[in-house]
Amino acid sequence: MAKRLVVIGNGMVGHKFLEYTIAKGSDWELITFCEEPRVAYDRVNLSSFFSGKSAGDLSLVEPGFYQDHNVQIHIGDKAVSIDRSQKTVTSANSVTVAYDTLVLATGSYPFVPPIRGNDLPGTFVYRTIEDLEAIAAYAKTRKIGVVVGGGLLGLECANALQNLGLETHVVEFMPRLMPVQVDEAGGLILRQKIEALGVTVHTSKSTTEIVADESGQVCRMQFADGTDLTTDTIVFSAGIRPQDELARQCGLAVGDRGGIVINEYCQTSDPDIYAIGECALYQNFVYGLVAPGYRMAEVLADRLCNSSSNAFTGADMSTKLKLLGIDVASFGDAFAKTPDSKEIVISDAVQGIYKKLVVDETSSHLLGGILIGDASAYGTLLQLMQNKMQLPPYPEDLILPPRSGATPQMGVDQFPATAQICSCNNVTKGEICTAIQAQELRDIGAVKKCTNAGTGCGGCVPLVTDILKAELKKAGVEVKNHLCEHFAYSRQDLYYLVRSHQIYTFDELLERHGTGYGCEICKPAVGSILASAWNDHILDGPHVGLQDTNDAFLANIQRDGTYSVIPRIPGGEITPDKLIVLGEVAQEFGLYSKITGAQRIDLLGARIEQLPKFGTPRRSRL
């Protein structure tokens, strides 16, 4: 009879653990409790929910995955108690399940500062899809939004509020933004770039009270220095705390500041209970990133499936993100705390670029760094640091334009086979190279599918692409950057040809520099190039036939062959007349209408012959 393995928590790490365990062909009976009303989703890219992605788009679970692998999942049912003596778990819905081995993957919860008024109507946290839906619904009738917390998630949240059309402010207790990742000089440039985008930043601010108006809703924030800030929406993004309540209740060892204490095998003080992800405390440290959580999941799956003696020994906390469209990266000893370390700093306030390298006393090894505004070198720099590789004679060349026409010889060929390229899925350079050679992979999509590299946060995709090109070159396979089979040029080359040769149509470009009749790749690309080069409307005359179906008809094709139309409503503001027009169009053409998760109006079920009629004078206001 198979032993029963119960997993509490179905977030990113909990789901990844189940994937690893299933992939290893284990004979465990698998049961998991999911507190949220939906299965695991991509919390790293949660902000894309406001850009139009749905909960389904963010889901990490393939349809039928749990059913196909006989995983019993209790969705929307929170585990509320653990009886270690009886080895049972009881849920909020009074479901009691016995276990042989228990895994806690309960994650973390958002920290809300103990401020008077922190629970008033109009205050939110930024953690789940339900949180985002609540913020979007409330913001429709509001004007000003404040994010409390200027860290990674806080700046992502600020971007979301700005996209909702709110006047956006960020309030940070520390003297600079992203104080954990960025130094004072870098923080100044980051602040300048963010304020240039219309977000007001308030640093060194301690909030003492959130004041309500006559209706009981948020209207003002009061600060310790006597100043205040008018607002009607507040989102707390002031860090996270380990979700260790269950562990405390059942008597497991926890840290002084929270977190379930684990050893290198992710085992708690109870030998039959394990903890992984943000709820776990390893050597007095809680890892608040997804990659270390995935590493814990892999270690534990190996242990429970007896496949290896894998151990968790900590993880790299380097980060690279695009915040409000601004590249920000921090890695290693970014604050030069290593004795006798040296700093190489390039600061360009005009261009909004800040680059800092920290090297050892001999300038031969990279210890860390900070990149703001331009993080294109992040992947290479991270590998140089992690693999303790010898730096070039002039380390500053790594962050400067080429010296005398030459570039430092520090490409992927110099990385050892053990170099970890994808930290999310723990994929090494050697594994990628082996897959390319053995499977004869020829494109980045195939590499991602075969190795899982680049399928997490996506930050390693440039390095994976460089490795693919290097391996193909070694194998004698010509590496081309041609747009498609009809044009032996890159997109950049074609733009140069269009501009320099005064080419105004696709047919002319094809006749002079291409072959064949064109395809679904080159036609839209050339249409975009022509529009950019000559400021032509992309749907005018000779260009309209170059667009794919969605662009040509300004609608989105659905699986059943019909189309959906999402009218553009800038800032979410619409007049009564325009709202009436939407209703008239939906009624006249028999369209199904709904409000999407991103709070947009979607008209579905239109046939292709109906689409041109949407632009008649009476309806042109769509």
Side-chain angles (χ1 to χ4, degrees), residues 272-294:
D272 293 322
I273 301 179
Y274 296 80
I276 55 177
E278 293 175 336
C279 68
L281 180 73
Y282 177 72
Q283 294 187 351
N284 291 316
F285 194 85
V286 172
Y287 291 87
L289 298 177
V290 68
Y294 282 0

PDB file of all heavy atoms in Angstrom, residues 272-294:
ATOM      1  N   ASP A 272       8.963  13.638  10.429  1.00  0.00           N
ATOM      2  CA  ASP A 272       7.975  13.314   9.398  1.00  0.00           C
ATOM      3  C   ASP A 272       7.349  14.551   8.767  1.00  0.00           C
ATOM      4  O   ASP A 272       6.431  14.440   7.960  1.00  0.00           O
ATOM      5  CB  ASP A 272       6.862  12.434   9.992  1.00  0.00           C
ATOM      6  CG  ASP A 272       7.366  11.059  10.391  1.00  0.00           C
ATOM      7  OD1 ASP A 272       8.209  10.507   9.656  1.00  0.00           O
ATOM      8  OD2 ASP A 272       6.924  10.554  11.442  1.00  0.00           O
ATOM      9  N   ILE A 273       7.837  15.729   9.147  1.00  0.00           N
ATOM     10  CA  ILE A 273       7.286  16.979   8.601  1.00  0.00           C
ATOM     11  C   ILE A 273       8.421  17.803   7.991  1.00  0.00           C
ATOM     12  O   ILE A 273       9.471  17.977   8.605  1.00  0.00           O
ATOM     13  CB  ILE A 273       6.562  17.793   9.688  1.00  0.00           C
ATOM     14  CG1 ILE A 273       5.418  16.981  10.298  1.00  0.00           C
ATOM     15  CG2 ILE A 273       6.015  19.095   9.100  1.00  0.00           C
ATOM     16  CD1 ILE A 273       4.657  17.707  11.391  1.00  0.00           C
ATOM     17  N   TYR A 274       8.179  18.314   6.785  1.00  0.00           N
ATOM     18  CA  TYR A 274       9.169  19.109   6.062  1.00  0.00           C
ATOM     19  C   TYR A 274       8.563  20.474   5.738  1.00  0.00           C
ATOM     20  O   TYR A 274       7.337  20.645   5.724  1.00  0.00           O
ATOM     21  CB  TYR A 274       9.590  18.412   4.766  1.00  0.00           C
ATOM     22  CG  TYR A 274      10.285  17.092   4.987  1.00  0.00           C
ATOM     23  CD1 TYR A 274       9.558  15.926   5.251  1.00  0.00           C
ATOM     24  CD2 TYR A 274      11.670  16.996   4.940  1.00  0.00           C
ATOM     25  CE1 TYR A 274      10.194  14.709   5.458  1.00  0.00           C
ATOM     26  CE2 TYR A 274      12.322  15.782   5.140  1.00  0.00           C
ATOM     27  CZ  TYR A 274      11.573  14.648   5.400  1.00  0.00           C
ATOM     28  OH  TYR A 274      12.211  13.454   5.613  1.00  0.00           O
ATOM     29  N   ALA A 275       9.401  21.442   5.464  1.00  0.00           N
ATOM     30  CA  ALA A 275       8.933  22.778   5.084  1.00  0.00           C
ATOM     31  C   ALA A 275       9.791  23.309   3.943  1.00  0.00           C
ATOM     32  O   ALA A 275      11.014  23.127   3.938  1.00  0.00           O
ATOM     33  CB  ALA A 275       8.985  23.734   6.272  1.00  0.00           C
ATOM     34  N   ILE A 276       9.153  23.946   2.964  1.00  0.00           N
ATOM     35  CA  ILE A 276       9.864  24.497   1.806  1.00  0.00           C
ATOM     36  C   ILE A 276       9.289  25.865   1.452  1.00  0.00           C
ATOM     37  O   ILE A 276       8.147  26.182   1.766  1.00  0.00           O
ATOM     38  CB  ILE A 276       9.760  23.562   0.575  1.00  0.00           C
ATOM     39  CG1 ILE A 276       8.291  23.260   0.248  1.00  0.00           C
ATOM     40  CG2 ILE A 276      10.533  22.267   0.809  1.00  0.00           C
ATOM     41  CD1 ILE A 276       8.104  22.391  -1.002  1.00  0.00           C
ATOM     42  N   GLY A 277      10.094  26.685   0.806  1.00  0.00           N
ATOM     43  CA  GLY A 277       9.640  27.986   0.337  1.00  0.00           C
ATOM     44  C   GLY A 277       9.745  29.076   1.386  1.00  0.00           C
ATOM     45  O   GLY A 277      10.571  29.012   2.305  1.00  0.00           O
ATOM     46  N   GLU A 278       8.896  30.077   1.265  1.00  0.00           N
ATOM     47  CA  GLU A 278       8.999  31.274   2.101  1.00  0.00           C
ATOM     48  C   GLU A 278       8.595  31.043   3.561  1.00  0.00           C
ATOM     49  O   GLU A 278       8.823  31.904   4.399  1.00  0.00           O
ATOM     50  CB  GLU A 278       8.137  32.387   1.506  1.00  0.00           C
ATOM     51  CG  GLU A 278       8.650  32.898   0.170  1.00  0.00           C
ATOM     52  CD  GLU A 278       7.726  33.919  -0.458  1.00  0.00           C
ATOM     53  OE1 GLU A 278       6.513  33.912  -0.125  1.00  0.00           O
ATOM     54  OE2 GLU A 278       8.194  34.720  -1.273  1.00  0.00           O
ATOM     55  N   CYS A 279       7.985  29.898   3.868  1.00  0.00           N
ATOM     56  CA  CYS A 279       7.635  29.622   5.269  1.00  0.00           C
ATOM     57  C   CYS A 279       8.812  29.015   6.022  1.00  0.00           C
ATOM     58  O   CYS A 279       8.779  28.910   7.251  1.00  0.00           O
ATOM     59  CB  CYS A 279       6.428  28.681   5.344  1.00  0.00           C
ATOM     60  SG  CYS A 279       6.739  26.997   4.750  1.00  0.00           S
ATOM     61  N   ALA A 280       9.864  28.586   5.300  1.00  0.00           N
ATOM     62  CA  ALA A 280      10.982  27.866   5.906  1.00  0.00           C
ATOM     63  C   ALA A 280      12.099  28.814   6.329  1.00  0.00           C
ATOM     64  O   ALA A 280      12.345  29.840   5.684  1.00  0.00           O
ATOM     65  CB  ALA A 280      11.521  26.834   4.916  1.00  0.00           C
ATOM     66  N   LEU A 281      12.772  28.433   7.414  1.00  0.00           N
ATOM     67  CA  LEU A 281      13.903  29.203   7.944  1.00  0.00           C
ATOM     68  C   LEU A 281      15.137  28.304   7.947  1.00  0.00           C
ATOM     69  O   LEU A 281      15.213  27.345   8.712  1.00  0.00           O
ATOM     70  CB  LEU A 281      13.594  29.690   9.363  1.00  0.00           C
ATOM     71  CG  LEU A 281      14.673  30.516  10.064  1.00  0.00           C
ATOM     72  CD1 LEU A 281      14.747  31.919   9.456  1.00  0.00           C
ATOM     73  CD2 LEU A 281      14.383  30.614  11.563  1.00  0.00           C
ATOM     74  N   TYR A 282      16.089  28.608   7.066  1.00  0.00           N
ATOM     75  CA  TYR A 282      17.315  27.818   6.991  1.00  0.00           C
ATOM     76  C   TYR A 282      18.491  28.669   7.461  1.00  0.00           C
ATOM     77  O   TYR A 282      18.762  29.727   6.889  1.00  0.00           O
ATOM     78  CB  TYR A 282      17.556  27.336   5.556  1.00  0.00           C
ATOM     79  CG  TYR A 282      18.858  26.577   5.382  1.00  0.00           C
ATOM     80  CD1 TYR A 282      19.004  25.299   5.903  1.00  0.00           C
ATOM     81  CD2 TYR A 282      19.935  27.147   4.717  1.00  0.00           C
ATOM     82  CE1 TYR A 282      20.193  24.600   5.759  1.00  0.00           C
ATOM     83  CE2 TYR A 282      21.131  26.459   4.568  1.00  0.00           C
ATOM     84  CZ  TYR A 282      21.254  25.183   5.099  1.00  0.00           C
ATOM     85  OH  TYR A 282      22.447  24.491   4.971  1.00  0.00           O
ATOM     86  N   GLN A 283      19.146  28.219   8.514  1.00  0.00           N
ATOM     87  CA  GLN A 283      20.272  28.943   9.103  1.00  0.00           C
ATOM     88  C   GLN A 283      19.922  30.416   9.349  1.00  0.00           C
ATOM     89  O   GLN A 283      20.637  31.334   8.956  1.00  0.00           O
ATOM     90  CB  GLN A 283      21.515  28.807   8.211  1.00  0.00           C
ATOM     91  CG  GLN A 283      22.040  27.377   8.132  1.00  0.00           C
ATOM     92  CD  GLN A 283      23.359  27.266   7.390  1.00  0.00           C
ATOM     93  OE1 GLN A 283      23.832  28.227   6.777  1.00  0.00           O
ATOM     94  NE2 GLN A 283      23.967  26.088   7.433  1.00  0.00           N
ATOM     95  N   ASN A 284      18.755  30.604   9.991  1.00  0.00           N
ATOM     96  CA  ASN A 284      18.259  31.926  10.399  1.00  0.00           C
ATOM     97  C   ASN A 284      17.989  32.860   9.226  1.00  0.00           C
ATOM     98  O   ASN A 284      18.054  34.086   9.376  1.00  0.00           O
ATOM     99  CB  ASN A 284      19.230  32.598  11.376  1.00  0.00           C
ATOM    100  CG  ASN A 284      19.270  31.903  12.718  1.00  0.00           C
ATOM    101  OD1 ASN A 284      18.224  31.545  13.265  1.00  0.00           O
ATOM    102  ND2 ASN A 284      20.466  31.678  13.245  1.00  0.00           N
ATOM    103  N   PHE A 285      17.685  32.292   8.066  1.00  0.00           N
ATOM    104  CA  PHE A 285      17.414  33.125   6.890  1.00  0.00           C
ATOM    105  C   PHE A 285      16.181  32.596   6.165  1.00  0.00           C
ATOM    106  O   PHE A 285      16.062  31.401   5.905  1.00  0.00           O
ATOM    107  CB  PHE A 285      18.612  33.130   5.943  1.00  0.00           C
ATOM    108  CG  PHE A 285      18.547  34.200   4.890  1.00  0.00           C
ATOM    109  CD1 PHE A 285      18.994  35.484   5.145  1.00  0.00           C
ATOM    110  CD2 PHE A 285      18.013  33.936   3.644  1.00  0.00           C
ATOM    111  CE1 PHE A 285      18.924  36.483   4.182  1.00  0.00           C
ATOM    112  CE2 PHE A 285      17.935  34.916   2.666  1.00  0.00           C
ATOM    113  CZ  PHE A 285      18.398  36.203   2.937  1.00  0.00           C
ATOM    114  N   VAL A 286      15.254  33.512   5.850  1.00  0.00           N
ATOM    115  CA  VAL A 286      14.071  33.177   5.053  1.00  0.00           C
ATOM    116  C   VAL A 286      14.321  33.641   3.628  1.00  0.00           C
ATOM    117  O   VAL A 286      14.623  34.823   3.392  1.00  0.00           O
ATOM    118  CB  VAL A 286      12.799  33.850   5.612  1.00  0.00           C
ATOM    119  CG1 VAL A 286      11.630  33.648   4.658  1.00  0.00           C
ATOM    120  CG2 VAL A 286      12.464  33.296   6.987  1.00  0.00           C
ATOM    121  N   TYR A 287      14.214  32.733   2.674  1.00  0.00           N
ATOM    122  CA  TYR A 287      14.463  33.059   1.267  1.00  0.00           C
ATOM    123  C   TYR A 287      13.149  33.492   0.611  1.00  0.00           C
ATOM    124  O   TYR A 287      12.262  32.674   0.384  1.00  0.00           O
ATOM    125  CB  TYR A 287      15.062  31.859   0.539  1.00  0.00           C
ATOM    126  CG  TYR A 287      16.472  31.548   0.985  1.00  0.00           C
ATOM    127  CD1 TYR A 287      16.712  30.723   2.080  1.00  0.00           C
ATOM    128  CD2 TYR A 287      17.565  32.106   0.335  1.00  0.00           C
ATOM    129  CE1 TYR A 287      18.009  30.446   2.512  1.00  0.00           C
ATOM    130  CE2 TYR A 287      18.863  31.841   0.759  1.00  0.00           C
ATOM    131  CZ  TYR A 287      19.068  31.010   1.835  1.00  0.00           C
ATOM    132  OH  TYR A 287      20.353  30.751   2.253  1.00  0.00           O
ATOM    133  N   GLY A 288      13.059  34.794   0.322  1.00  0.00           N
ATOM    134  CA  GLY A 288      11.822  35.358  -0.200  1.00  0.00           C
ATOM    135  C   GLY A 288      11.715  35.402  -1.705  1.00  0.00           C
ATOM    136  O   GLY A 288      10.910  36.164  -2.241  1.00  0.00           O
ATOM    137  N   LEU A 289      12.509  34.608  -2.415  1.00  0.00           N
ATOM    138  CA  LEU A 289      12.442  34.542  -3.873  1.00  0.00           C
ATOM    139  C   LEU A 289      11.988  33.152  -4.300  1.00  0.00           C
ATOM    140  O   LEU A 289      12.130  32.177  -3.551  1.00  0.00           O
ATOM    141  CB  LEU A 289      13.804  34.858  -4.499  1.00  0.00           C
ATOM    142  CG  LEU A 289      14.373  36.255  -4.222  1.00  0.00           C
ATOM    143  CD1 LEU A 289      15.746  36.394  -4.847  1.00  0.00           C
ATOM    144  CD2 LEU A 289      13.443  37.336  -4.747  1.00  0.00           C
ATOM    145  N   VAL A 290      11.482  33.048  -5.525  1.00  0.00           N
ATOM    146  CA  VAL A 290      10.943  31.762  -5.965  1.00  0.00           C
ATOM    147  C   VAL A 290      12.038  30.741  -6.268  1.00  0.00           C
ATOM    148  O   VAL A 290      11.867  29.543  -6.020  1.00  0.00           O
ATOM    149  CB  VAL A 290      10.026  31.962  -7.194  1.00  0.00           C
ATOM    150  CG1 VAL A 290      10.827  32.399  -8.421  1.00  0.00           C
ATOM    151  CG2 VAL A 290       9.258  30.690  -7.497  1.00  0.00           C
ATOM    152  N   ALA A 291      13.186  31.186  -6.779  1.00  0.00           N
ATOM    153  CA  ALA A 291      14.242  30.243  -7.162  1.00  0.00           C
ATOM    154  C   ALA A 291      14.739  29.409  -5.972  1.00  0.00           C
ATOM    155  O   ALA A 291      14.866  28.183  -6.093  1.00  0.00           O
ATOM    156  CB  ALA A 291      15.400  30.972  -7.835  1.00  0.00           C
ATOM    157  N   PRO A 292      15.039  30.000  -4.810  1.00  0.00           N
ATOM    158  CA  PRO A 292      15.426  29.170  -3.671  1.00  0.00           C
ATOM    159  C   PRO A 292      14.324  28.198  -3.250  1.00  0.00           C
ATOM    160  O   PRO A 292      14.604  27.067  -2.829  1.00  0.00           O
ATOM    161  CB  PRO A 292      15.707  30.192  -2.567  1.00  0.00           C
ATOM    162  CG  PRO A 292      16.042  31.451  -3.288  1.00  0.00           C
ATOM    163  CD  PRO A 292      15.178  31.438  -4.505  1.00  0.00           C
ATOM    164  N   GLY A 293      13.060  28.633  -3.383  1.00  0.00           N
ATOM    165  CA  GLY A 293      11.951  27.741  -3.071  1.00  0.00           C
ATOM    166  C   GLY A 293      11.909  26.539  -3.985  1.00  0.00           C
ATOM    167  O   GLY A 293      11.659  25.400  -3.555  1.00  0.00           O
ATOM    168  N   TYR A 294      12.154  26.780  -5.269  1.00  0.00           N
ATOM    169  CA  TYR A 294      12.213  25.669  -6.232  1.00  0.00           C
ATOM    170  C   TYR A 294      13.363  24.723  -5.903  1.00  0.00           C
ATOM    171  O   TYR A 294      13.258  23.507  -6.053  1.00  0.00           O
ATOM    172  CB  TYR A 294      12.375  26.215  -7.645  1.00  0.00           C
ATOM    173  CG  TYR A 294      11.105  26.753  -8.273  1.00  0.00           C
ATOM    174  CD1 TYR A 294       9.891  26.728  -7.587  1.00  0.00           C
ATOM    175  CD2 TYR A 294      11.109  27.292  -9.558  1.00  0.00           C
ATOM    176  CE1 TYR A 294       8.735  27.216  -8.167  1.00  0.00           C
ATOM    177  CE2 TYR A 294       9.962  27.775 -10.148  1.00  0.00           C
ATOM    178  CZ  TYR A 294       8.775  27.738  -9.446  1.00  0.00           C
ATOM    179  OH  TYR A 294       7.631  28.223 -10.032  1.00  0.00           O
TER     180      TYR A 294
END
